[in-house]
Structure formats: C-alpha cells, structure tokens
Amino acid sequence: MAKAQAQWGKHKFLISSNQLNPMGDFSTSSEAKASDSKSKKKKTELETYTLTETCHSAAGTDPVAHYNAWRADIGNYNSLYMNGKKWKSNPLKLQKVSLGSVKQDDFGRIRYAVISLTFEEKNQRETFTLTSRVTASKSAKKARKKSRKKKKKKK
C-alpha cells in the first residue's frame, strides 16, 4: 500500500501505481496579530492554507467523485498531516472547494480537473496538552495518595 503524501481527515493525497492524486500548490502565511483581532492566538492571526489536488481519470481518480467528497466536508475540522506528521497543532476548517482546469471527453464526462481547497485554522488558544500516558500516570498517583489518606484516617 502506498504511503499518503498528505492527508486531511479521510482525504488522502496519493502517488502510487494504482492511483495518482497528488497535492500541489500548497501555500500559507502568518502575520502579526492586529489590535482589534478576534483571534485567540497570542501573537498571530489565524492562518489560511490553500492547496490543490489534481485528478485524472486515466490515473485512477474520478474528478467528480473527489470534488463531491470534498464539498461534503465543507465546514468540517480535521488535522492536516504531511509526510505522516501533523502540520500544525490546531485543526483546520475546510472553507472553500472549487473545481477548475476541467477537461472533458467527447461524451461530456469530466476526465481531468484541479480541485482547489482553502482551509482556515481553528480559532482556539494555543495549548500544549499532556499525552494520555502522562495523564494516566498522574491519575494513578492521585488515586494512590487518596488511598493512603483513607488508610491513615482508619488508624
């Protein structure tokens, strides 16, 4: 099985012998937070990300099906993974999906298209959460302390 070039939720950007729908034209920028900003981030505005997905029916991807699948996820949040690693800590909301550079066959079927996607970072405070393993060990320590206190009270 081919490793995904990138992934957002269930959508994978693949380059394999069976399927070719690569991610392209990825862009983002970061800017200083304005005084009247509604961003909950400490120093910067919310980031917007744009990227494209190229779909060609001869390469194993149905452009219309991919477009409709993306459209169904407008407004949803998910994390973006690139090369198997999470891109940013905040989830990204799919804001806009557009279909362009369409090529059709003699019967009017769409055989090639470029799907453009626009995401916006979720508006939440930048926080660093403890892993479940650390949280579990802290919970276990609290439980042990509690049981020791109960034993002391019984004596």
Side-chain angles (χ1 to χ4, degrees):
M1 185 172 166
K3 184 178 176 183
Q5 180 186 24
Q7 181 173 347
W8 182 85
K10 65 183 179 195
H11 302 280
K12 293 181 181 181
F13 300 91
L14 293 172
I15 298 174
S16 72
S17 58
N18 299 335
Q19 189 174 349
L20 180 67
N21 61 311
M23 179 177 81
D25 299 330
F26 177 79
S27 65
T28 185
S29 64
S30 203
E31 61 181 284
K33 188 174 179 177
S35 59
D36 61 343
S37 174
K38 293 182 181 180
S39 173
K40 293 180 182 177
K41 293 173 72 176
K42 292 180 182 176
K43 296 180 180 180
T44 61
E45 293 289 347
L46 295 173
E47 293 181 32
T48 301
Y49 302 86
T50 58
L51 57 97
T52 60
E53 177 183 29
T54 304
C55 299
H56 199 300
S57 60
T61 59
D62 179 4
V64 176
H66 275 257
Y67 174 69
N68 289 331
W70 279 110
R71 280 188 49 213
D73 279 335
I74 290 176
N76 291 341
Y77 289 94
N78 266 307
S79 295
L80 178 65
Y81 291 86
M82 288 190 186
N83 194 25
K85 296 176 186 162
K86 199 175 201 181
W87 173 249
K88 291 282 189 170
S89 60
N90 289 349
L92 304 179
K93 180 181 182 181
L94 180 59
Q95 292 283 99
K96 182 179 175 183
V97 178
S98 58
L99 188 69
S101 300
V102 173
K103 306 269 188 279
Q104 296 175 308
D105 66 10
D106 297 341
F107 301 104
R109 295 176 295 201
I110 295 175
R111 294 301 187 182
Y112 173 87
V114 176
I115 301 170
S116 299
L117 307 164
T118 303
F119 299 91
E120 186 178 80
E121 189 176 18
K122 187 173 184 178
N123 194 10
Q124 65 185 22
R125 284 215 187 277
E126 294 173 1
T127 57
F128 297 96
T129 58
L130 297 170
T131 63
S132 58
R133 188 175 181 186
V134 171
T135 306
S137 67
K138 284 187 176 188
S139 298
K141 282 182 183 179
K142 283 182 184 179
R144 283 192 297 259
K145 260 188 179 177
K146 210 174 195 180
S147 68
R148 285 185 204 137
K149 284 182 182 179
K150 284 182 182 178
K151 284 181 185 178
K152 284 182 183 179
K153 284 183 181 178
K154 287 181 182 180
K155 289 182 181 181

